[in-house]
Amino acid sequence: MLTVVSAMASADENPLHRRINQLLPTTAAPADDATFLRRVFLDLAGRIPSVTEAKQFLNDTSPERRKQLIDRLLDSRDYPRRMQEAFHIMLLERRGDHQEWSRFLRDSFEQNRPWDEMVRLLLKPAADDESARGAAWFQTSRLVKEGAMADVDVPGLTRDVGRLLAGVDLGCAQCHDDLVISDYLQQDFQGLQMVFENVVVRTDVGFPAVGEKLLTAPRAFSSVFEQIPRQTAIRVPGAAEVALQTFAEGEEYTVPPDRKSKFPGEPKFSPLQQVAEHLTARENRLFAANLVNRVWFLMLGKGLVWPLDMHHSGNPSQHPQLHDLLGQEFTAHDFDLKWLLREIALTDVYQSDSTPSDPSVPVSVADLSEKRISAESLFWSVLIALEQLDPSDTERSLEQQLAESQPLQELQKQFLKVFANAPKEPELLFEPTVAAALFVMHDEQVLGLLDAESSPLPGRLSQLEDAAEVVQQASLQIYSRPATEVETAELVELLQTAAADQRSETISQLIWAMLASTEFCVNH
Amino acid sequence: MNGCGGSEHQFSRRQILGSMAAGTAAGGFGSLLQHAAADELQQANDKQVLLIWLDGGMSQLESWDPKPGTHYGGPYRSIPTSLPGIHVSELMPQLAQRMDRLAVVRSMKTEDPNHSSGVPKILRGHPRDRGVVYPYFGAATAHLLGPTPSRLPPYVWVKPGNGGFISSHAGFLGPKYGALALGGGKPPQNLQRPAAISDELDELRHRLRERFNQRYAAGRRPQVSEAGSHVYDLAQTLMKNVDLFDVDTLPAVERDRYGRHELGQHTLLARRLLEAGVRFVQVTSYGWDTHGDNFNAHATRVPRVDQAVSALLDDLQDRGLMERILVVVMAEFGRTPRINGSVGRDHWPNAWSLAMAGCGIRPGVVLGETLADGTDVNSEAWDIGALFHTWYTALGINSQEAEFMNGTQPLPIAHDDMQPIPELLA
């Protein structure tokens, strides 16, 4: 306990972001205010700033303005929505959504639920807590039959628990010790899988929920290479083996099963509870190491360990000292996600320019990489850029505004379909597709948003007589930055040489080209 | 999910090929030099592939390796072929006349009797397990040889049902190498430009987009910017070739020759795509999993393969394309000699057949044999890995030296314990 207290004390005097700066001197120049503004909005609010928000920040001369913006965004109503979207993509990998799951995520980020508590709810869902019970969707969405001949993919769930919550992909250790990675052993996979094989999806309630059968015997298994019988009790990534507890017949349950209502019963010994506790224990380094790596990836565009789910001794962290520091401090701060995001946002590397000093040198740990923007964030950003939605509306959130427009909801569906990955595919790097390009080029509804007669932004810009003003406003509206002199000169010439009856069409195409450009579609 | 490596991997194709061409490891050259070398090599290689995939598993006994009059032989006779002494099932009379242009392997022996795992294993060439997800044949070839100068997408998959962009075929190579799937042989969605956008406006908006992209790209590493522009280039190339996807515009006589059934029309579409410059086309025919009523099902289905593949072989020969187009006809396994209680045949990876023709393949070869009752291989058995070596070699790729890069991890392109089969190579 004493060590934790002293770590906290030193953190207050020397906050984490300063210690990161000492460990990680950046070579890149600091990002200018406009670049930082767009980046931090996309990362913490899941959208670009409105013009009002952009002007407010860009006209602010306070030396504390970046810090103040970070705090404003972390306290905004956008923050829980953004984190819900980001963690939904990370944890469900596009397996589909459920309103109870959304509620769990939203509530968790609204109240800044600590990460260890969130994970305990994912692993041992609390059916009697109405706002948190949807966490069971993490398991139930995976415990489904896909096709008449296919078994429920329990190994897939086992693997995902390791990958997503501990950063270890034990997939290859299902049938034998991993042939390449000496840390990944078959007993670890089997000792975790036995827990999930014991899980039943509850059918006695109308919300996602799981129950457990009695687990009384160790897991017997053998490698496909050497048919030697072996066995294991419960194994949790990063923790020691957990012995099974058995009870006399008739005394196994705290609440016995009920056949009539199909309630599966509540065993006294819950393997899910064991996994939940041992995985999230403070001494389990993998637990914190995985999450800080994933948040680092979210903010900086690359993992300290890469691939994100390949933590093992043969694939060390790019910066072990930094990685350890992040893990220790995250643990010492009781797995506080908002605190972690804030500290990373305050670092020099987060606030550096993503244009490298030498483009021929590969990305290093001290660089900020260009990042993929999620389909959700891109959708909100396009509609904000086009003034279809107003994030500054104090009465109605973006989602409430969207709920009032059937056509925009339809557009959202199409948008997510073409910009999101297929189910079960992690969304990591910027991977544009031809499908999305064709959608942006030709979809009637997308093009309708650029119609000067019916849409606010093209309508407004085409009324402006001063061509330079059109360019400046378009740039601030879409790129969240002032147009450069060269850009302004080129585009003013374009607008001035356009025939009078082509001017508003030209402005529409200018807006389209900015939205379709790489600068808009990546977070840089 | 795949264990794919760093962000550099997506564009590693050029680097790998660049280094192959120069005979040295990538990294010693500036990126511009690598690009130039890779493009030259890819353009110099004009080889293409058509894979006809009979999903579910065609019976070798009702096609390439009949056993008439034996315990498990089934009701069909065998017929002589253009190769003296070689017989095939009477269900493929046209291919029988073209056996001298084909190479058939009758001694395939693979591991996996399940569709769900067997299909990806065969389509990946079942390399040694290294805990990474290998690309399918199409994605791998697209990666190794790149698009042809047509700039059409290098890997197109013609299939019944839904289309789309199927990134899962690419494995660790990354989604860029996935398949453009033409569901029901139809073009991709949103390919038609709405009338409201005139040619002039379209030209203007793309010119502006490219100008913005150039400015953004200045001083940055090229990966992200290239990818951002690449998909729009590809989209525009597809639009220019919109007629390609419509076999309805072809003369009726040509359509009849391939057969007025899905496989026939899709094979015809594949020929057009290859002629237009797609590097790798896969045509999939579903419904071969004949656990029940095997013989009626094959009586309907095998003649469709016979008709479509024969028409294709004739067209490739007439057009002088046999030298550069590799044609492969296969499935994830064959079917059991034993006939089950539902007059069906079950999954049989233990002894099955596949066929190939064209580019680099020695014509008129029948390799290997099975026991008299067809239950096992009675000669040297071949795994799919050896076939991948053979096909890559036929395509002018050194299958024992070329490597994929999974991030920083070099990986062999085909099973490292296996080699090309010399008997199959011209």
Side-chain angles (χ1 to χ4, degrees), chain A residues 88 91-105 121-123 125-126 132-144 157 201 207-210:
Chain A
H88 172 64
L91 294 172
L92 263 287
E93 296 182 334
R94 302 289 181 191
R95 279 176 170 79
D97 211 341
H98 191 289
Q99 60 185 34
E100 298 262 1
W101 167 252
S102 306
R103 182 172 174 192
F104 159 70
L105 286 178
L121 286 164
L122 297 177
L123 293 168
R133 66 191 185 189
W137 182 245
F138 178 79
Q139 293 183 50
T140 58
S141 65
R142 289 170 164 91
L143 294 175
V144 288
L157 172 59
V201 176
F207 51 86
V210 294

Side-chain angles (χ1 to χ4, degrees), chain B residues 103-108 352-356 366-367 382 387 424:
Chain B
V104 171
V105 181
R106 281 175 168 168
S107 51
M108 291 301 300
W352 56 287
S353 306
L354 55 74
M356 67 202 82
V366 175
L367 182 66
W382 298 105
L387 275 298
L424 295 174

Side-chain angles (χ1 to χ4, degrees), chain A residues 72-300:
Chain A
R72 210 156 55 231
L73 292 176
L74 289 171
D75 282 338
S76 71
R77 67 182 174 198
D78 290 293
Y79 171 77
R81 192 204 73 247
R82 155 65 177 160
M83 287 300 140
Q84 178 193 336
E85 291 166 354
F87 277 74
H88 172 64
I89 296 168
M90 180 176 99
L91 294 172
L92 263 287
E93 296 182 334
R94 302 289 181 191
R95 279 176 170 79
D97 211 341
H98 191 289
Q99 60 185 34
E100 298 262 1
W101 167 252
S102 306
R103 182 172 174 192
F104 159 70
L105 286 178
R106 181 65 68 101
D107 281 7
S108 295
F109 291 109
E110 270 172 2
Q111 57 185 263
N112 194 26
R113 195 193 300 271
W115 176 242
D116 60 332
E117 196 184 316
M118 282 182 74
V119 170
R120 282 196 292 273
L121 286 164
L122 297 177
L123 293 168
K124 177 68 181 169
D128 50 1
D129 178 347
E130 210 177 303
S131 84
R133 66 191 185 189
W137 182 245
F138 178 79
Q139 293 183 50
T140 58
S141 65
R142 289 170 164 91
L143 294 175
V144 288
K145 276 176 93 74
E146 293 176 23
M149 298 291 283
D151 288 332
V152 171
D153 191 10
V154 178
L157 172 59
T158 309
R159 186 178 175 194
D160 282 354
V161 167
R163 284 178 52 229
L164 300 169
L165 306 180
V168 291
D169 183 352
L170 301 173
C172 292
Q174 183 182 351
C175 312
H176 49 73
D177 290 348
D178 195 296
L179 297 174
V180 182
I181 303 164
S182 56
D183 303 359
Y184 291 1
L185 302 176
Q186 189 183 11
Q187 63 189 23
D188 295 330
F189 188 92
Q190 295 292 333
L192 187 58
Q193 167 148 302
M194 68 189 285
V195 174
F196 295 101
E197 280 194 341
N198 208 42
V199 169
V200 289
V201 176
R202 281 177 63 179
T203 54
D204 59 323
V205 288
F207 51 86
V210 294
E212 289 180 277
K213 294 177 280 189
L214 291 179
L215 183 62
T216 52
R219 171 78 163 186
F221 67 96
S222 66
S223 161
V224 292
F225 297 132
E226 345 159 285
Q227 309 286 333
I228 303 167
R230 300 173 60 195
Q231 63 176 36
T232 180
I234 297 168
R235 284 176 186 268
V236 179
E241 187 172 350
V242 183
L244 304 182
Q245 291 174 38
T246 48
F247 296 88
E249 202 178 325
E251 294 181 14
E252 302 101 326
Y253 290 97
T254 48
V255 189
D258 181 355
R259 250 187 222 180
K260 210 166 158 192
S261 71
K262 294 186 179 166
F263 173 65
E266 184 67 46
K268 280 183 185 155
F269 176 68
S270 160
L272 284 178
Q273 184 69 37
Q274 297 297 321
V275 177
E277 282 172 15
H278 288 275
L279 186 70
T280 63
R282 283 173 177 263
E283 53 278 11
N284 188 342
R285 287 182 59 251
L286 266 184
F287 178 67
N290 168 61
L291 195 277
V292 297
N293 193 46
R294 287 180 179 273
V295 171
W296 190 265
F297 169 75
L298 207 60
M299 296 293 276
L300 279 304

